[in-house]
Amino acid sequence: MMYNADQSGKNRSFSLTTLSAAIAVTTAMSSAAYAAEIEEVVVTAQKRAENLQDVPIAISAFTGDSMKAMGVKNLTDLGKFTPGVEMNNDTPLQPTYSVRGIETGDFTVGSDPAVAVYVDGVYTGRGAGAEIPLADIERVEVLKGPQGTLFGRNATGGAIHIISKKPQADDTTELNVTAGNYGRQSTDLLVNRQLSDTLYGRFTASTNRRDSFADNLANGFEVGNIDTQTYRASLLWEPTPDTEVLWRAEYGVMDQGSALRSSIVPSLQAADGGTDVFGDYALDTPTIEDRDSWGTSVSIVHDFENVTFTSITAYRGFDAHLQQDEDGTANPDYMFGSANFDDQTQFSQEFRLNGATDTLKWTLGASYSREELEHTTDAYFTAGSLESFAVYEGVKAAYAGAGLTTTQLEDAAYQQRQLMIAGGLEGAAVSTFIYDLMVQSGQADALLQALGAPGFVTADMLNRDQMIGQLMAGISPWVAEDTPWNESVFNAGDYRSAAIYGDATWSLTDKMDLTVGARYTADEKDFSIVSSYQNVLPIEFVGGPVQLMAPDGTPLGASITLPPGQIAEIPFGIAFNNNGNPNLNQQLSDSWSDLSGRIVLDYRWNDDVMTFVSLADGFKAGGFNSFSAAPGIDPSFDQESVTNLEIGMKSSLFDNAVRFNASVFAYDYKNLQQLDLVGAPIPNYYLRNADAEGRGAEMEVQWAATDNLFIAGNYSYLNTEYTRYTLLDQPPVNEGPDDDRTGQPRVGTPENKFNIMAEYTWALAQGGDVTLRGDYNWTDERVGSISDPARVIPDYQLMNLRAGWNSASDRYSAALWVQNVTDEEIAGGYGGTGAAIGASPAWRFMPRMYGADFTVRF
């Protein structure tokens, strides 16, 4: 039996003293004899094939077989079993990967991710193209800490490398079929053929379908279902014993409903029929998650006498459409939907030389990439939801400092909205909001001149309440009818990146190695933001006298007379306000460069115990705020960097029957790019540059207790906090005491997390074997929303069980499995864009899932 998933973990009280004691104990135990053995795992974390236990980097490595046993289908599933890693994504087209609390939550295209995802050595530039089905995968390597030297840009948090299986020199066919509850149907067809003595081919076709696990009480469309198809083909040609040419191609189709997000506001839940986050749902915006993705690459490897040359040429791209219900309710007064359209292509080329002597192993490389993309964001509202937004803003101002939670404020805003409807004041809030906004932007003065007001009269000279009453004549019926209000912003990007790097490991003694590496990266980006006001306000003045006011607000005893009539040509923007510019067309360009590196010293105490200390840093280029311009916000934000100090140990004890790995680390994060919903009077998503720090520890143990029993576990401790939190180093926009995050933990990072698994296999008398496996995960509470740190996601536990059978001939396999055995109700995240209008939603983990797998090989 083969066990080779390296799952690191950490302990709350884990310190350097603890690590020193562990080294002493494991060194003393390393010579003990034991029967069972854990098989070696080979990884390519340092751009060369090495035993996992010899690599001085904290790595979690999962083989295809181990992921199948865990029920892992994608990277989000994998994150639950990986210490120090969170991949809690409700939609694969907007994923966020967090390694040791380092992530970038930007769902737009003006920035880059902080965790680099590679597929067969090729960097995937956008998150929407990174989340792929893990079918026919050799292994997944999760490298923790900055990997700026060997993996380059956008690896400040770490790197995830997905390696698919290569064609083999044999003829095999394998069919995997899965059926489960909620209409689950999945198939994987794997075909490998030896086409000649030097040419081999492999083809994979995978489908995965599942219905929604709840019902829509308001409309007929489905939400949270799955429907994907993936096709892969590869050819391996070995023209000489020293040359390998590998061509890979991939095409994927996704056509499903998007994430299931339900309102967490009690009043809105009641209005929808009493639904809650974990029950049936009521949504009014059809959810869509469509993607066509493709990619091809050619890898050439040639071994010279003392040097290996590698070339990887790749071209990837995707078209995607993601539409979501942002408010989590079917209430027409809170209608808020969004859609994102992406068209992306990228080309990359890497050349690499690897060499080795008795005392030196080295790598030299150069890379270039170019990404071209177009992105459109649409926002769908009604006049009624704009009224709800204005009411919510008023309630927040009225209760400022009262200590109410966000949910209480949202509930109070809903109740206030109902009172205004009953009192005939529908439209009063949005009229007030729009008038104040027009005064601030100068549009009210232009309106007065259009109405024929005397030239010396400005809006701030008129009675505010009377003017708002004038506006309500046209706005009240417009709000009552829930008139559609849609807005859009378009982005185009052309990103180029080039780098050179080198890394070398010297054997200073028979037991001690020193590794030094450096990479120089230069990024250039051209970016555009195009957004026009697409709506007009129905401003209708009833006419009549309006009192003139002094600067201190007292009446002057004089008035002007406004003529009655309707002014219909007042373009306006709410979602993308463009700083008052009705036709925004920004053409932006910037460049960033950085020299990042690492220094690692490792010492092998004996053949079974190795310790290391490393200092490494990573770099992520700056970028652009994608949505709109606003006062005090620089459209181009700074590059970010992280420096990480780590001390670790790797050990294989009792004749490799026990594997124990541990590490402690601390990092300093400068200019981290943090997305937040900020601004006044209209909140928008902007990236802030902030500083943060983190420290923690990880440990993992694997134990082949007998030839039949395997036990493994990992534990992680992570403490993060913001050390600076300002708005893009510019004057603050709506920045008050509640917006200061200094000292608070980062979003989505649990302090404690552990996993444990046990697997027992016994042989059957007639041949074949049966395996029972159980996995248990506990994850600590964590902050669920950056906009509201008080909203904490409770701790949760997950348990999975699996019983499998394998025939004596190894031709047939079958298994029964249950995921989330206890049917835990777990929230994955709170808040989101719907929070802007007082309708915060939440999304949930899967309920109990069960099914059966069947495999035939021929």
Side-chain angles (χ1 to χ4, degrees):
M1 185 174 300
M2 180 177 180
Y3 307 103
N4 49 19
D6 175 35
Q7 303 177 20
S8 303
K10 25 186 185 180
N11 188 299
R12 178 187 295 271
S13 59
F14 202 75
S15 64
L16 295 182
T17 303
T18 309
L19 183 59
S20 300
I23 294 171
V25 173
T26 53
T27 303
M29 294 191 304
S30 61
S31 60
Y34 214 80
E37 183 176 346
I38 302 173
E39 194 164 330
E40 176 182 301
V41 185
V42 175
V43 297
T44 55
Q46 299 190 119
K47 302 293 186 179
R48 53 181 178 261
E50 298 173 292
N51 183 350
L52 173 70
Q53 295 300 97
D54 295 332
V55 179
I57 299 174
I59 308 172
S60 292
F62 302 85
T63 66
D65 291 339
S66 66
M67 289 187 291
K68 183 177 181 179
M70 291 185 290
V72 167
K73 290 292 185 181
N74 50 48
L75 292 179
T76 293
D77 293 338
L78 196 63
K80 297 179 178 65
F81 299 95
T82 310
V85 175
E86 293 295 309
M87 304 179 190
N88 299 318
N89 297 304
D90 58 341
T91 165
L93 294 187
Q94 284 184 352
T96 297
Y97 307 116
S98 174
V99 177
R100 294 177 172 175
I102 296 179
E103 65 178 38
T104 300
D106 188 7
F107 55 85
T108 65
V109 295
S111 67
D112 296 308
V115 176
V117 178
Y118 284 77
V119 179
D120 295 321
V122 178
Y123 175 67
T124 61
R126 295 292 115 195
E131 189 86 357
I132 63 174
L134 299 179
D136 200 29
I137 298 298
E138 180 69 31
R139 69 184 180 277
V140 175
E141 301 173 11
V142 182
L143 287 67
K144 303 170 190 177
Q147 305 296 322
T149 302
L150 292 172
F151 285 88
R153 58 195 287 269
N154 307 334
T156 49
I160 301 171
H161 194 186
I162 303 170
I163 300 103
S164 62
K165 291 185 177 179
K166 298 197 302 187
Q168 307 293 321
D170 56 28
D171 293 339
T172 58
T173 301
E174 180 176 314
L175 177 63
N176 299 292
V177 179
T178 296
N181 60 335
Y182 300 107
R184 170 75 177 273
Q185 298 179 21
S186 302
T187 60
D188 296 325
L189 175 64
L190 319 174
V191 179
N192 191 97
R193 291 292 183 267
Q194 181 169 352
L195 305 176
S196 72
D197 291 341
T198 61
L199 184 64
Y200 324 103
R202 191 174 186 90
F203 174 77
T204 305
S206 301
T207 65
N208 187 22
R209 295 184 176 90
R210 195 208 66 224
D211 298 332
S212 177
F213 46 85
D215 294 326
N216 191 344
L217 302 178
N219 296 280
F221 59 84
E222 195 172 17
V223 181
N225 58 309
I226 293 175
D227 191 349
T228 64
Q229 303 173 54
T230 306
Y231 305 93
R232 295 191 182 102
S234 56
L235 287 174
L236 176 60
W237 179 40
E238 297 176 336
T240 72
D242 299 322
T243 305
E244 174 185 284
V245 180
L246 177 58
W247 169 78
R248 287 185 169 107
E250 174 185 305
Y251 179 71
V253 179
M254 179 185 297
D255 184 9
Q256 59 192 37
S258 186
L260 200 171
R261 297 178 176 176
S262 303
S263 175
I264 60 176
V265 182
S267 295
L268 288 173
Q269 292 173 352
D272 282 337
T275 64
D276 60 30
V277 173
F278 302 105
D280 291 331
Y281 58 94
L283 303 180
D284 51 12
T285 300
T287 65
I288 299 171
E289 199 159 14
D290 288 348
R291 182 187 66 187
D292 287 349
S293 60
W294 61 91
T296 184
S297 66
V298 176
S299 172
I300 302 173
V301 179
H302 180 76
D303 290 325
F304 296 96
E305 184 174 351
N306 296 311
V307 176
T308 298
F309 168 78
T310 302
S311 169
I312 303 177
T313 307
Y315 183 76
R316 298 177 62 89
F318 65 86
D319 295 321
H321 174 203
L322 172 64
Q323 181 171 297
Q324 300 182 95
D325 188 303
E326 299 289 354
D327 56 279
T329 174
N331 191 315
D333 289 338
Y334 286 83
M335 192 275 177
F336 184 3
S338 70
N340 292 275
F341 301 86
D342 289 280
D343 184 355
Q344 184 257 16
T345 59
Q346 66 178 71
F347 167 82
S348 62
Q349 174 65 60
E350 181 173 8
F351 296 112
R352 188 168 66 240
L353 292 174
N354 293 86
T357 66
D358 291 340
T359 59
L360 179 67
K361 293 180 286 187
W362 56 271
T363 300
L364 291 175
S367 64
Y368 173 81
S369 66
R370 181 173 185 178
E371 179 185 13
E372 296 178 286
L373 55 87
E374 294 183 348
H375 175 90
T376 300
T377 299
D378 292 339
Y380 309 131
F381 303 95
T382 66
S385 54
L386 298 182
E387 173 80 352
S388 295
F389 159 71
V391 170
Y392 183 50
E393 288 295 307
V395 168
K396 286 193 296 183
Y399 287 96
L404 297 184
T405 66
T406 300
T407 300
Q408 289 173 328
L409 288 171
E410 290 175 325
D411 238 358
Y414 175 84
Q415 302 301 334
Q416 178 64 30
R417 179 79 198 277
Q418 304 314 303
L419 291 174
M420 293 175 68
I421 293 173
L425 295 175
E426 184 81 309
V430 75
S431 297
T432 302
F433 178 85
I434 288 174
Y435 180 74
D436 289 343
L437 186 61
M438 292 178 69
V439 170
Q440 292 179 22
S441 65
Q443 289 177 285
D445 292 337
L447 176 60
L448 288 173
Q449 299 305 312
L451 288 169
F456 70 91
V457 175
T458 59
D460 57 4
M461 297 170 60
L462 300 180
N463 185 292
R464 177 174 176 269
D465 291 339
Q466 288 181 321
M467 291 299 295
I468 290 170
Q470 293 275 355
L471 288 179
M472 284 183 62
I475 287 179
S476 291
W478 175 70
V479 169
E481 293 171 3
D482 285 316
T483 307
W485 180 286
N486 303 328
E487 298 187 35
S488 181
V489 62
F490 171 79
N491 301 130
D494 186 349
Y495 303 161
R496 288 89 62 199
S497 179
I500 55 174
Y501 63 92
D503 193 77
T505 300
W506 288 272
S507 297
L508 303 179
T509 70
D510 291 342
K511 294 186 175 183
M512 182 180 296
D513 291 344
L514 174 66
T515 300
V516 177
R519 174 187 290 253
Y520 177 76
T521 306
D523 281 20
E524 295 182 358
K525 296 184 178 182
D526 298 325
F527 192 71
S528 64
I529 307 174
V530 180
S531 180
S532 299
Y533 290 165
Q534 301 159 287
N535 299 273
V536 293
L537 291 172
I539 297 177
E540 180 181 353
F541 283 89
V542 295
V546 177
Q547 179 73 48
L548 292 178
M549 310 293 291
D552 62 359
T554 60
L556 292 177
S559 64
I560 64 169
T561 300
L562 296 179
Q566 181 167 339
I567 308 297
E569 300 299 325
I570 302 297
F572 212 74
I574 297 290
F576 312 119
N577 58 50
N578 305 345
N579 198 18
N581 186 348
N583 292 289
L584 179 69
N585 189 337
Q586 286 187 318
Q587 304 298 316
L588 306 170
S589 182
D590 212 334
S591 62
W592 302 266
S593 62
D594 185 75
L595 180 65
S596 54
R598 66 169 182 158
I599 300 176
V600 185
L601 186 68
D602 64 82
Y603 185 82
R604 184 164 292 282
W605 300 81
N606 54 40
D607 291 341
D608 302 316
V609 181
M610 182 264 284
T611 58
F612 65 90
V613 56
S614 71
L615 181 65
D617 61 1
F619 152 78
K620 183 157 82 79
F624 307 94
N625 276 296
S626 300
F627 282 155
S628 61
I633 292 182
D634 189 337
S636 175
F637 48 82
D638 293 337
Q639 67 189 49
E640 66 179 28
S641 63
V642 62
T643 302
N644 183 81
L645 175 64
E646 185 157 356
I647 300 174
M649 176 189 66
K650 294 190 174 184
S651 63
S652 300
L653 312 174
F654 301 112
D655 292 334
N656 203 29
V658 175
R659 179 175 293 164
F660 176 72
N661 297 339
S663 65
V664 294
F665 62 87
Y667 63 77
D668 186 38
Y669 210 150
K670 297 297 185 185
N671 286 329
L672 94 90
Q673 299 158 9
Q674 181 68 67
L675 187 74
D676 200 356
L677 189 65
V678 295
I682 301 174
N684 273 269
Y685 275 111
Y686 302 112
L687 274 163
R688 301 177 176 216
N689 279 119
D691 294 339
E693 63 182 18
R695 59 189 181 275
E698 300 174 354
M699 64 172 63
E700 95 36 64
V701 62
Q702 299 175 13
W703 178 27
T706 70
D707 289 335
N708 305 97
L709 177 62
F710 178 72
I711 300 172
N714 61 63
Y715 172 78
S716 64
Y717 167 72
L718 178 63
N719 182 283
T720 65
E721 68 175 74
Y722 293 104
T723 56
R724 177 180 66 90
Y725 205 110
T726 58
L727 181 55
L728 299 171
D729 299 323
Q730 298 291 325
V733 175
N734 196 29
E735 187 104 4
D738 292 339
D739 293 310
D740 186 3
R741 306 287 190 264
T742 302
Q744 295 179 356
R746 301 220 45 212
V747 171
T749 57
E751 193 170 82
N752 300 278
K753 177 180 178 179
F754 74 81
N755 292 276
I756 188 169
M757 65 81 64
E759 185 175 280
Y760 188 84
T761 302
W762 65 90
L764 301 176
Q766 65 273 30
D769 57 61
V770 172
T771 300
L772 296 180
R773 177 185 176 113
D775 293 275
Y776 175 82
N777 164 266
W778 177 81
T779 299
D780 208 348
E781 67 180 20
R782 61 196 189 280
V783 175
S785 169
I786 189 170
S787 300
D788 183 9
R791 271 183 174 158
V792 175
I793 299 175
D795 66 299
Y796 66 83
Q797 59 183 352
L798 282 173
M799 181 183 296
N800 300 336
L801 297 176
R802 182 182 179 90
W805 165 79
N806 194 50
S807 68
S809 64
D810 199 37
R811 183 175 183 180
Y812 301 103
S813 298
L816 299 174
W817 50 265
V818 183
Q819 297 176 337
N820 190 4
V821 174
T822 56
D823 200 20
E824 297 291 319
E825 294 183 340
I826 303 168
Y830 294 138
T833 311
I837 65 169
S840 293
W843 66 272
R844 65 185 103 167
F845 282 4
M846 301 295 105
R848 181 190 295 117
M849 298 283 181
Y850 55 85
D853 298 336
F854 179 74
T855 300
V856 58
R857 306 172 185 89
F858 46 88

